[in-house]
Amino acid sequence: MHRKPWRAAAAALGLIGALAGAPSHAAGFPDRTLTIVVPFAPGGGVDMIGRVLAQQMSKETGRTVLVDDRPGASANLGAGYVARAKPDGYTILLAANGLAANATLFPDAPFDPLKDFAPVGKVGEAPLVVIVARKSRFDNLKQLLDDARAHPGKLTFGSAGNGSSQHLAGELLKMDAHIQALHVPYKGGAPATTDLLGGRIDFMVQNPLEALPLLRSHQLRALAVASDQRLKLLPEVPTAAQAGLPGYEASVWWGVVAPAKTPAAVVRKLNELLDQALNDPATQAKLESMGVVVQPGTRQQFGSFLHGEVFKWRKVIQTAHIHVN
């Protein structure tokens, strides 16, 4: 993906230097049960990803790897639990994109996502997709944007609620395209999609996996992928740049973090275990079937990415005056 200015700024400021922990040896790690905390409910997408990783990491290490679901408070409950956990590498967090946005959405949260965690590695992401109902008058993204410019504030877009990934991606679309559109928050993605199908809202920016069944049944139409690369699941859908909006990128993503004071050697070992799992062909196939674009890498790369995401969504949240309470 294109290098973003805020990511370059983060690196230039030397923020990634904070990744270096106290010297320690990781010989024999792990020698007991390792726990992956998922800050969402059992059975959801993040839980499923966590269980795929846990299964493969257990095979690699010969140790039990548990998934501990701790939902609540917009994923802050589980994240806070890991931030306060003993920094020995045995309790880690499978974080999602909300970790970055929550830094601004919840300024009173009892932890800081940039200070209280040690980035371990990125799992992958799923670029969001701009969707409309099949009976919509918009056949492509350019038509939608042209209409929005011709009739400022008349178009509506739905989301799963204030501060959700769909909401933030819609606001970023407005900023990047210089358009006005009315946000309509719902109590979940399902009722928003129902109203999109019924023509009561004009568009959404949605997780492709959630939209896929309705796209394949020709009830929804995808106008663009919010990425610089097309999706394997939707190869016929153009990228945002190809559809006339270069630079528009928004995704849901997943990555692993540990408590901030976890020894650097242990974090490196965790990164090695994560990379081994993600490079396993069977594990890759499982994750890709769930809509995950697998992206293993170094802890420094994930740390830079996380900083960039915090700065990116902070600008969107502040510009759009988004509040969740």
Side-chain angles (χ1 to χ4, degrees):
M1 293 186 176
H2 299 302
R3 185 172 177 84
K4 296 293 188 179
W6 48 80
R7 293 179 188 169
L13 289 172
L15 292 169
I16 308 309
L19 292 172
S24 177
H25 297 288
F29 177 89
D31 59 7
R32 54 187 172 87
T33 298
L34 192 152
T35 300
I36 300 175
V37 174
V38 171
F40 297 95
V46 184
D47 174 72
M48 293 168 63
I49 292 170
R51 294 185 187 281
V52 170
L53 294 176
Q55 182 180 36
Q56 183 59 30
M57 291 172 72
S58 181
K59 289 181 181 178
E60 293 170 8
T61 62
R63 304 292 179 181
T64 300
V65 181
L66 299 176
V67 172
D68 182 7
D69 296 295
R70 291 178 176 265
S74 298
N76 287 331
L77 187 65
Y81 175 81
V82 175
R84 297 186 300 272
K86 185 176 180 180
D88 56 7
Y90 286 95
T91 302
I92 57 180
L93 177 72
L94 178 56
N97 48 289
L99 184 68
N102 285 356
T104 304
L105 291 171
F106 299 94
D108 297 327
F111 63 87
D112 184 321
L114 297 182
K115 296 179 180 179
D116 295 327
F117 297 105
V120 171
K122 191 176 181 183
V123 174
E125 62 182 37
L128 302 182
V129 181
V130 182
I131 56 175
V132 297
R134 173 58 62 175
K135 61 184 179 181
S136 169
R137 66 185 185 278
F138 304 123
D139 293 321
N140 55 60
L141 184 63
K142 184 178 184 302
Q143 289 179 356
L144 186 149
L145 298 181
D146 286 346
D147 189 273
R149 294 181 182 116
H151 307 94
K154 296 296 183 181
L155 292 188
T156 55
F157 72 98
S159 79
N162 287 328
S164 64
S165 59
Q166 301 101 321
H167 181 197
L168 298 182
E171 295 294 345
L172 180 63
L173 176 67
K174 289 168 55 180
M175 291 171 56
D176 285 358
H178 304 289
I179 63 170
Q180 296 180 35
L182 177 65
H183 171 234
V184 182
Y186 290 82
K187 293 182 179 180
T193 303
T194 297
D195 272 9
L196 179 65
L197 291 168
R200 288 176 283 278
I201 55 176
D202 294 299
F203 70 96
M204 288 181 64
V205 189
Q206 181 63 293
N207 183 326
L209 197 62
E210 295 177 11
L212 195 59
L214 293 172
L215 289 170
R216 286 180 171 168
S217 63
H218 304 293
Q219 297 180 69
L220 291 176
R221 180 188 301 122
L223 304 184
V225 177
S227 171
D228 65 348
Q229 295 182 3
R230 294 197 180 204
L231 281 175
K232 288 184 179 179
L233 288 173
L234 299 167
E236 74 284 0
V237 180
T239 67
Q242 292 168 339
L245 188 59
Y248 177 59
E249 296 181 12
S251 67
V252 290
W253 56 260
W254 306 271
V256 175
V257 297
K261 294 183 180 180
T262 303
V266 173
V267 177
R268 284 196 295 270
K269 182 61 177 180
L270 286 167
N271 176 266
E272 291 173 8
L273 294 174
L274 178 63
D275 273 9
Q276 288 174 21
L278 294 175
N279 284 308
D280 174 71
T283 300
Q284 279 193 2
K286 289 178 184 177
L287 292 174
E288 288 176 356
S289 72
M290 297 163 58
V292 181
V293 179
V294 178
Q295 295 176 329
T298 68
R299 60 197 180 109
Q300 289 85 357
Q301 287 171 330
F302 182 49
S304 179
F305 173 81
L306 181 58
H307 278 84
E309 287 288 286
V310 170
F311 298 148
K312 171 181 178 176
W313 296 116
R314 178 176 296 162
K315 179 181 178 181
V316 173
I317 291 164
Q318 292 176 343
T319 300
H321 306 290
I322 298 172
H323 302 282
V324 295
N325 296 326

